[in-house]
Amino acid sequence: MEKDIFFLERCLQLAQLGLGNAQPNPLVGAVITYEGKIIGEGWHQQFGQAHAEINAIQSVKNRELLKKSTLYVNLEPCSHYGKTSPCTEEIIRQGIPKVVIGTLDPFENSKGRGVRQLQDAGIEVKHSIIPEKCLFLNRRFFTFHEKKRPYIILKWAKTKNGFMDIKRDGGQKKTSYWITNNELRTLAHQWRSEEEAILIGYNTLVNDTPQLTTRFFSGKNPIPVIVYRDKIEINNESFTFVREKSKIENILYFLYQQNITSVIVEGGCKTLNMFIETNIWDEARVLTGNISWKEGMYAPTLPLTPHKEVNINHNTVQYFYNQEINF
């Protein structure tokens, strides 16, 4: 068991490398061992391209060893045709005799199907070895498929005395005010690159004229999502809210329909509190700068203890996870 855990944790390390590029597919890493030593590794690098298991198989120099090897993978190998052929078919074709899986696929029509296909082919299969760690890594993917909505990350910055914005009376120029240091700005832009979309409200659009890009970090820009009073704008395409749904239900419905598995919310207090008050959020990341203001608009508050707190050059990042929402 310890050996299985060791190699599956390596799979998780590899899978993490796909964050920001593999979505809406899951993050998957694969390791192939022969006589207890790694002879091949791979991860799902880009949506639409080869899956982790295929990349790991292709990395093995002596393919004859596959017939005596063990394949480790953090998520059940796919058993259906999509943009690529099923990984189970290639595993069977290569004659790999044993597969160890971190957790099963959440798809209703796929969960356990990959395992059965492998077992029917005479392959020894072990699964659900470290399910909690595997679920956490793919929390975006599991939330999207099990809750029919994207994974919601709330993010805001505040001063030491709790302000997130200046006091707006209509006389200011349209601009944003930096609260945190350069290190945290870069980190915030890295976070943007890791999610599929970034959401703000109309007031933030008007007051801050934000670029919503990853200009301080080398990574892809998230899809901009703007929420108005009665509509939502995604990729410059507008959708009018359905009247029988609440505003938060409309937002989640349209994001889900657009196949967006995760969104980072960087709006103002009103937009952030809309998610907090309805308890529809999964993570919150709160950045505190080393400055104080005499007045302004107060940031939201969470009645929770942070799961983790990190200090970076006199600034602080707090990470919260909403334990009220479980898989």
Side-chain angles (χ1 to χ4, degrees), residues 27-85:
L27 303 173
V28 183
V31 169
I32 299 173
T33 67
Y34 172 72
E35 294 184 345
K37 295 182 180 180
I38 295 175
I39 61 170
E41 293 185 331
W43 69 93
H44 186 31
Q45 299 178 18
Q46 185 76 41
F47 174 69
Q49 296 182 7
H51 290 185
E53 299 93 321
I54 307 305
N55 287 330
I57 289 170
Q58 291 177 347
S59 74
V60 176
K61 293 180 180 179
N62 183 356
R63 300 288 176 85
E64 288 301 312
L65 295 180
L66 291 172
K67 295 178 173 59
K68 303 175 184 178
S69 297
T70 299
L71 169 68
Y72 292 87
V73 62
N74 59 288
L75 186 68
E76 179 180 11
C78 67
S79 55
H80 60 278
Y81 283 87
K83 290 187 175 293
T84 62
S85 57

Side-chain angles (χ1 to χ4, degrees), residues 155 178-191 216-217 287-290 310-317 319:
K155 174 259 171 182
W178 290 109
I179 295 174
T180 57
N181 58 26
N182 289 333
E183 291 91 334
L184 263 62
R185 293 175 204 168
T186 301
L187 177 62
H189 283 218
Q190 177 185 337
W191 291 343
F216 296 147
F217 183 81
L287 290 66
T288 303
N290 190 31
V310 179
N311 294 310
I312 303 175
N313 193 15
H314 306 296
N315 284 207
T316 303
V317 184
Y319 296 83

